[in-house]
Amino acid sequence: MTSQYAYIRGTFVPLEDATISVRTHAFLYGTAVFEGIKAYWLPEENRMAAFRLKEHYQRLIQSCRIIGLQHPLDVDTMISITTDLLHRNQCNSATYLRPIIYKSDLRIGPILKVPHTHDDFCLFSVPMDGYLDTSNGIKVGVSSWRRLDDNAIPARAKVNGAYVNTALAKTDGYASGFDDVVVLTNEGHVAEGSAMNLFLVRDGKLITSSITDNILEGITRSSIIELAAKELGLETVSRTIDRTELYIADEAFFVGTATELAPITSFDHRPVGDGTIGEITKKLRDLYSKAVQGLLPDYHHWLTKV
């Protein structure tokens, strides 16, 4: 295996040297924001490409604005560092990229803004073909843990510390025999999966939770909405979803950068439709897979080629 590198404190370093102090503010208080980005091998071009790289870094900066971090680099610079890292690590298969902007001060005290404060950007990559085995669909339960509220720790921002909420929900789901979970808002409406957006299919339409129901404004989510409309002529309705709608959906699936598109075959031990992967879900999964691999020319603008 070739030497692997990461980017931290303004330079590329060997991966094993990309470390932080135990006194780092972000480690002590979770004061960091991140993105999950996927890069893919393009079989027809024999090169790598990162999927919707610009949109991910724009969202990273939005997360900074929400919690009060200063982004030390602009979007174009972060894109350049990312493509450079993919080159340096000689990536030639599906790769997960994790950029983080974090409070790098070595101090005690949770306040984000103090005199002479510092925020840093770091980035590393790991090979990742699939986050879940979704070939036969996944079994999902409704978690007893509620999604964080916008006025507590906003789900609209990818805040590192907020993912304790995800960890609690997903861990309990696994212990109960589920592959993943749906989390509800404090009002009892459907938010999303543990770390993925949710879509239902009812009467030939896609339904997904409103962006005001404490969800991440997913980039994969917006990609699926566009593919559904342009390639399949399907309307997507974004609205509040009740828990019991899960049980009467014709089809259902999660979407996210790491997960891609994960068909759901049951909710709370109740089969979705006939308990197999639905036709619309299959078509969208196939379209998304082709788009990220550069096999749909109309969507090449989604790819930053390396």
Side-chain angles (χ1 to χ4, degrees):
M1 184 178 179
T2 59
S3 297
Q4 295 293 290
Y5 295 90
Y7 184 91
I8 190 169
R9 288 183 285 274
T11 190
F12 290 97
V13 300
L15 184 60
E16 61 270 20
D17 295 334
T19 59
I20 62 171
S21 167
V22 294
R23 294 189 295 146
T24 302
H25 196 274
F27 175 70
L28 297 177
Y29 301 105
T31 48
V33 295
F34 73 96
E35 278 296 321
I37 303 169
K38 206 78 178 281
Y40 298 86
W41 184 254
L42 306 185
E44 293 189 344
E45 300 187 37
N46 292 320
R47 64 197 294 193
M48 292 291 289
F51 184 68
R52 303 198 73 171
L53 196 53
K54 182 177 182 179
E55 291 89 341
H56 278 285
Y57 281 126
Q58 288 172 334
R59 190 174 63 181
L60 183 64
I61 288 175
Q62 289 174 357
S63 293
C64 286
R65 292 174 63 186
I66 288 171
I67 75 164
L69 293 174
Q70 297 299 311
H71 54 93
L73 305 172
D74 61 23
V75 168
D76 288 342
T77 303
M78 290 187 284
I79 288 174
S80 177
I81 290 168
T82 304
T83 57
D84 194 348
L85 184 71
L86 288 167
H87 269 301
R88 288 171 183 264
N89 288 344
Q90 298 181 35
C91 300
N92 58 10
S93 63
T95 299
Y96 183 77
L97 296 150
R98 173 59 69 89
I100 307 167
I101 294 176
Y102 65 101
K103 182 63 64 179
S104 58
D105 301 348
L106 306 182
R107 60 178 171 87
I108 300 296
I111 297 174
L112 283 157
K113 293 184 178 181
V114 297
H116 313 297
T117 189
H118 297 94
D119 303 319
D120 196 14
F121 170 87
C122 66
L123 173 69
F124 66 89
S125 68
V126 293
M128 181 184 286
D129 284 322
Y131 188 61
L132 287 171
D133 180 4
T134 64
S135 54
N136 296 313
I138 60 174
K139 296 175 173 58
V140 172
V142 175
S143 178
S144 61
W145 294 95
R146 297 297 175 98
R147 176 54 85 225
L148 291 163
D149 188 76
D150 191 67
N151 286 306
I153 303 177
R156 181 171 284 106
K158 288 179 73 72
V159 181
N160 287 41
Y163 277 69
V164 171
N165 182 237
T166 294
L168 289 168
K170 192 153 191 169
T171 300
D172 276 4
Y174 278 167
S176 299
F178 297 114
D179 299 306
D180 213 286
V181 294
V182 164
V183 288
L184 307 179
T185 67
N186 284 320
E187 293 73 33
H189 300 303
V190 172
E192 55 190 348
S194 63
M196 300 160 286
N197 294 131
L198 173 70
F199 283 86
L200 305 179
V201 179
R202 290 190 64 187
D203 301 323
K205 293 181 180 179
L206 298 183
I207 302 171
T208 190
S209 300
S210 167
I211 60 172
T212 56
D213 276 327
N214 294 329
I215 70 167
L216 179 71
E217 296 182 22
I219 292 167
T220 309
R221 175 182 181 271
S222 68
S223 304
I224 291 296
I225 291 171
E226 186 171 341
L227 286 168
K230 291 184 176 179
E231 304 302 319
L232 302 179
L234 294 177
E235 177 188 355
T236 299
V237 180
S238 178
R239 62 167 175 79
T240 295
I241 300 172
D242 287 331
R243 174 178 179 166
T244 52
E245 290 188 78
L246 303 175
Y247 307 146
I248 58 174
D250 302 318
E251 302 178 34
F253 54 89
F254 286 136
V255 300
T257 294
T259 307
E260 297 174 355
L261 193 152
I264 299 169
T265 52
S266 69
F267 287 116
D268 287 343
H269 308 293
R270 298 164 173 83
V272 175
D274 63 4
T276 63
I277 301 173
E279 290 303 312
I280 290 174
T281 302
K282 289 178 183 177
K283 290 176 182 178
L284 286 170
R285 182 169 62 174
D286 181 61
L287 284 167
Y288 185 78
S289 178
K290 288 178 177 176
V292 301
Q293 295 180 72
L295 300 177
L296 296 180
D298 288 347
Y299 301 92
H300 279 187
H301 62 283
W302 284 349
L303 304 173
T304 301
K305 298 176 182 180
V306 178

